[in-house]
Amino acid sequence: DAGVTQSPTHLIKTRGQQVTLRCSPKSGHDTVSWYQQALGQGPQFIFQYYEEEERQRGNFPDRFSGHQFPNYSSELNVNALLLGDSALYLCASSLAGFGEAFFGQGTRLTVV
Amino acid sequence: GDSVTQMEGPVTLSEEAFLTINCTYTATGYPSLFWYVQYPGEGLQLLLKATKADDKGSNKGFEATYRKETTSFHLEKGSVQVSDSAVYFCAQGRDDKIIFGKGTRLHILP
């Protein structure tokens, strides 16, 4: 079992650009959540996808959007990038209702 | 709203010392409680968990007990090793959403 895999591992973008991050959940998991971890901080919940729909959302602007595919994989899209969007983006997968989340290694996004 | 507060670091200890990292939470219901660990340059790994009051989670010599009366979930280890150096996050979870504390950086000196 490969666990949760994210791509790419590192990314550099220019302010104002758009970015797409990808996540494949752990085998058997149906729920994908995305988190933003700024340097020296704890991860902050962005949103969660279940059955291809956004089920919960944290306090993030509409520039942050996502998608879940029929195979449960997921994408996180960020439009109009700001310098403050520079962070480690973590994907977590879980089996709905079981509470325990498994995290990927993250994508380090740098906005310049 | 729901939140997690944990002791600020960094915490520096000598090898074989006793470790306590304090964590308290506020929640409207009865969440599950977790400790995650993050090694340099890596993602988060679940260290231990507890799903209801008085449960004790344990793993790799670490322990934490879910205390509803004090809304706490303090992490302890009797004898730390250099390899335990990492950032530790206390967290609560409900409906598959996890709320994290800010993290405590732990340095263990040989």
Side-chain angles (χ1 to χ4, degrees):
Chain A
D1 183 4
V4 181
T5 58
Q6 294 186 241
S7 62
T9 55
H10 295 84
L11 203 53
I12 300 175
K13 288 288 190 178
T14 302
R15 190 171 45 184
Q17 285 188 316
Q18 179 263 347
V19 68
T20 298
L21 311 181
R22 295 176 176 81
C23 172
S24 292
K26 182 177 170 65
S27 178
H29 286 182
D30 56 9
T31 301
V32 173
S33 302
W34 287 91
Y35 294 81
Q36 180 195 66
Q37 185 179 16
L39 199 61
Q41 300 295 315
Q44 298 290 314
F45 177 77
I46 302 174
F47 46 53
Q48 182 182 90
Y49 278 84
Y50 172 70
E51 293 189 339
E52 302 180 50
E53 293 195 357
E54 184 181 290
R55 188 167 73 167
Q56 300 187 67
R57 190 178 183 92
N59 189 24
F60 279 80
D62 292 345
R63 297 187 298 108
F64 290 77
S65 63
H67 190 76
Q68 186 179 34
F69 299 94
N71 67 352
Y72 306 116
S73 66
S74 177
E75 290 182 348
L76 164 66
N77 301 292
V78 187
N79 293 322
L81 285 166
L82 303 174
L83 297 180
D85 295 331
S86 296
L88 180 67
Y89 288 84
L90 294 165
C91 170
S93 74
S94 57
L95 183 60
F98 280 75
E100 182 173 339
F102 291 77
F103 283 80
Q105 298 288 80
T107 294
R108 173 73 62 186
L109 172 65
T110 303
V111 182
V112 297
Chain B
D2 297 352
S3 66
V4 174
T5 304
Q6 61 184 105
M7 65 187 289
E8 294 193 17
V11 173
T12 302
L13 297 172
S14 297
E15 202 166 25
E16 299 183 3
F18 184 84
L19 169 71
T20 300
I21 301 178
N22 291 334
C23 171
T24 58
Y25 67 93
T26 59
T28 52
Y30 301 101
S32 296
L33 300 176
F34 307 94
W35 277 99
Y36 281 86
V37 59
Q38 188 171 38
Y39 297 100
E42 298 187 12
L44 293 167
Q45 299 177 25
L46 179 65
L47 180 60
L48 54 83
K49 68 176 181 179
T51 58
K52 62 183 187 296
D54 300 324
D55 268 2
K56 177 186 283 187
S58 61
N59 186 27
K60 299 181 181 179
F62 291 90
E63 293 183 341
T65 301
Y66 192 142
R67 301 288 188 199
K68 190 175 71 172
E69 62 276 11
T70 54
T71 62
S72 65
F73 193 55
H74 304 319
L75 182 68
E76 296 182 337
K77 186 174 185 181
S79 177
V80 293
Q81 306 299 313
V82 172
S83 57
D84 294 328
S85 298
V87 181
Y88 292 80
F89 292 93
C90 184
Q92 61 167 295
R94 188 165 49 208
D95 297 330
D96 302 307
K97 171 185 173 181
I98 300 175
I99 298 171
F100 290 88
K102 292 186 176 181
T104 302
R105 183 172 297 278
L106 176 64
H107 293 290
I108 306 300
L109 304 176

